[in-house]
Amino acid sequence: MLKRFEPISVGRIQWEFEAWRSARLAANLVLVVGNYVFSQSSTDHIAATPARFTFVLSHKDDAWQILHHHSSAAPD
């Protein structure tokens, strides 16, 4: 089962996972829902957007693969 999410950075974009819960759907299938902060930086500004997310992950060949992902900005 998943124990943690590391922050993800791609160029000037970063996802910081805050809170999440998971539920095993099958032996190699997990549903994960939670909150993260999506940040994008420019030379003089960082824009951070709190968001909710849903992942369906499959464990195959000793790695987790994303089968489905959805996120939307968290309500104010």
Side-chain angles (χ1 to χ4, degrees):
M1 190 68 109
L2 291 171
K3 301 287 185 205
R4 61 188 166 95
F5 279 110
E6 295 292 330
I8 300 169
S9 295
V10 178
R12 295 181 176 191
I13 300 171
Q14 180 174 338
W15 295 265
E16 181 80 34
F17 293 86
E18 292 186 326
W20 56 278
R21 296 179 68 178
S22 63
R24 186 179 299 269
L25 302 176
N28 66 336
L29 199 62
V30 176
L31 170 68
V32 184
V33 297
N35 302 311
Y36 55 40
V37 176
F38 174 81
S39 301
Q40 187 169 7
S41 63
S42 64
T43 55
D44 62 344
H45 180 71
I46 296 176
T49 305
R52 301 177 288 189
F53 69 85
T54 302
F55 285 107
V56 176
L57 305 173
S58 173
H59 194 258
K60 182 178 178 183
D61 299 328
D62 293 325
W64 288 100
Q65 299 174 350
I66 300 170
L67 298 180
H68 170 79
H69 168 248
H70 173 79
S71 64
S72 56
D76 292 335

